[in-house]
Amino acid sequence: MKATAIAPANIAFIKYWGKKDDDLRLPLNSSFSMNLSGAVTRTTVEFSPDYCKDTVELVGETFSTKEQERVAKSLDAIRTVAQISEHARVVTKNTFPKGAGAAASASGFAALTVAAFAAAGVAVAEKEMTVFARLGSGSACRSIPDGFVLWEEGNSSDSSFAYSLYPHTYWDIRDLLVIVDSGMKKVATSDGMKTIMTSPRFSRRLSAVGGRLTRMNIAMKEKNFAAFGAITEEDCLDMHTVMQSQVPPLMYWNDMTRVVMDAVVAWRNEGLPVYFTIDAGPNIHVLCEPYSQAIILKKLNMLTGVQTVIINTPAPGTQISEDHLF
Ligand code: PMV
């Protein structure tokens, strides 16, 4: 009763911020993302009568009690479906820093869900798998299907699921994830989202997101990089405007975030097609096409304060692996 899954993190181009149901993690709006090849979680789950409690180990890092409880809650839901009672040993390993806005919870809960169902010997359809992953961490549902993924907001647990709009081979967009701070973010997304209603900007964002998704669909269909990049930046800045106008304000950026954002805009004004997006942390995703990757990478590495750059291509969804961690 042991299985391993590898899941990519994902970056949302149209973002999810705010829930209409906290327990079910039903989002206020649909979102759209790309799986990331260079930011991956591998997780091995084993259910056994030899274990007297669930244990969760993150190789090279630590898990807080709250995080362990979230994992145990997901395992409980899976045990109920699988009709098993054995406790589990979970070992997990990331290729990127946890909690730094690089969506480790997305890849983490996607890998956990797929590995745990496989370890329990239960075959689950992709749609249902995304629903279970969502219950662990909202954006985790987008790490399960292939490539470019839409998460339908839905209005019930079953209708809030994710599916692939285009496979990872559809369009070679590069995401250069610029790490400027690899520490834990100050406010967890689930806490930050709880006060979204305090922002006077939140209803304006919600009424804009639908139209933005439609424009994004057209940009994707036409592979129009300039339109894609402009819509992505617009949505990122809109989400951060909401975050920064919440009470208390959520400032996820630091000085280096601003430096990289300004540099991207300056390079674009010089004629380079390059755009940015930022999640709930200080690190920046710099988006470009393959032909300009080398020059942009060189420019990024010349900025003082850039720690590392993780190069991502569009990636498949969560996969089963035979390479176990224990
Ligand atoms: O699923 P969570 O709780 O990690 O929230 C993700 C929120 C953002 O990363 C800020 C936006 C998104 O859609 O990924």
Side-chain angles (χ1 to χ4, degrees):
M1 291 181 90
K2 185 199 270 192
T4 297
I6 315 171
N10 68 74
I11 179 66
F13 302 135
I14 303 291
K15 297 185 184 293
Y16 142 61
W17 189 252
K19 283 174 260 198
K20 52 192 171 210
D21 186 312
D22 251 7
D23 290 337
L24 293 177
R25 291 183 204 277
L26 295 183
L28 284 170
N29 64 274
S30 300
S31 52
F32 174 65
S33 62
M34 179 181 102
N35 290 333
L36 301 174
S37 65
V40 170
T41 299
R42 176 183 298 273
T43 298
T44 301
V45 177
E46 182 177 49
F47 292 105
S48 165
D50 297 343
Y51 301 136
C52 55
K53 61 179 175 86
D54 292 330
T55 58
V56 192
E57 191 189 317
L58 178 60
V59 177
E61 296 187 71
T62 48
F63 258 131
S64 67
T65 318
K66 213 171 156 188
E67 286 171 317
Q68 293 195 23
E69 282 167 9
R70 262 172 89 174
V71 171
K73 205 173 152 199
S74 285
L75 291 171
D76 282 343
I78 291 164
R79 274 189 284 253
T80 305
V81 174
Q83 298 185 314
I84 58 171
S85 55
E86 285 83 353
H87 288 291
R89 178 178 177 201
V90 179
V91 178
T92 187
K93 198 174 172 197
N94 290 334
T95 61
F96 59 100
K98 178 168 78 85
S105 67
S107 54
F109 278 98
L112 176 76
T113 307
V114 172
F117 271 118
V122 182
V124 174
E126 181 183 274
K127 179 178 165 184
E128 202 184 341
M129 199 70 97
T130 73
V131 168
F132 274 95
R134 189 201 78 229
L135 294 167
S137 170
S139 57
C141 67
R142 296 190 311 237
S143 285
I144 289 185
D146 183 19
F148 297 89
V149 176
L150 187 83
W151 171 13
E152 289 278 1
E153 58 175 292
N155 49 23
S156 62
S157 196
D158 290 348
S159 58
S160 185
F161 61 94
Y163 60 93
S164 177
L165 270 189
Y166 294 101
H168 67 284
T169 47
Y170 174 69
W171 190 9
D172 193 2
I173 291 173
R174 299 291 161 95
D175 174 307
L176 309 180
L177 171 50
V178 184
I179 306 289
V180 295
D181 179 355
S182 54
M184 283 297 284
K185 61 188 149 208
K186 291 191 203 87
V187 180
T189 47
S190 31
D191 293 331
M193 286 187 205
K194 282 191 184 130
T195 52
I196 186 174
M197 309 296 182
T198 61
S199 164
R201 306 294 195 108
F202 105 94
S203 54
R204 203 201 56 167
R205 169 169 160 74
L206 282 186
S207 42
V209 166
R212 216 171 271 152
L213 271 165
T214 308
R215 284 190 284 135
M216 178 59 91
N217 256 321
I218 298 167
M220 288 298 296
K221 199 180 252 169
E222 294 174 346
K223 296 190 184 171
N224 179 339
F225 188 70
F228 156 83
I231 302 163
T232 299
E233 257 184 31
E234 180 186 312
D235 190 64
C236 162
L237 292 172
D238 196 18
M239 179 185 75
H240 283 274
T241 300
V242 172
M243 290 166 158
Q244 292 169 11
S245 56
Q246 287 179 210
V247 184
L250 290 170
M251 295 294 296
Y252 283 112
W253 303 343
N254 67 19
D255 289 353
M256 268 312 291
T257 317
R258 287 304 315 230
V259 168
V260 178
M261 285 162 78
D262 290 347
V264 166
V265 174
W267 300 334
R268 194 161 68 230
N269 290 340
E270 288 162 11
L272 211 51
V274 57
Y275 297 84
F276 64 78
T277 188
I278 305 158
D279 277 346
N283 300 319
I284 311 104
H285 295 254
V286 174
L287 304 163
C288 64
E289 291 186 282
Y291 72 90
S292 55
Q293 178 182 309
I295 175 81
I296 292 168
L297 198 53
K298 197 166 156 206
K299 282 174 179 289
L300 285 168
N301 281 320
M302 274 159 61
L303 298 174
T304 321
V306 166
Q307 295 179 2
T308 31
V309 180
I310 300 172
I311 300 170
N312 296 287
T313 56
T318 306
Q319 322 256 311
I320 290 290
S321 159
E322 293 309 317
D323 193 2
H324 303 303
L325 286 168
F326 63 93

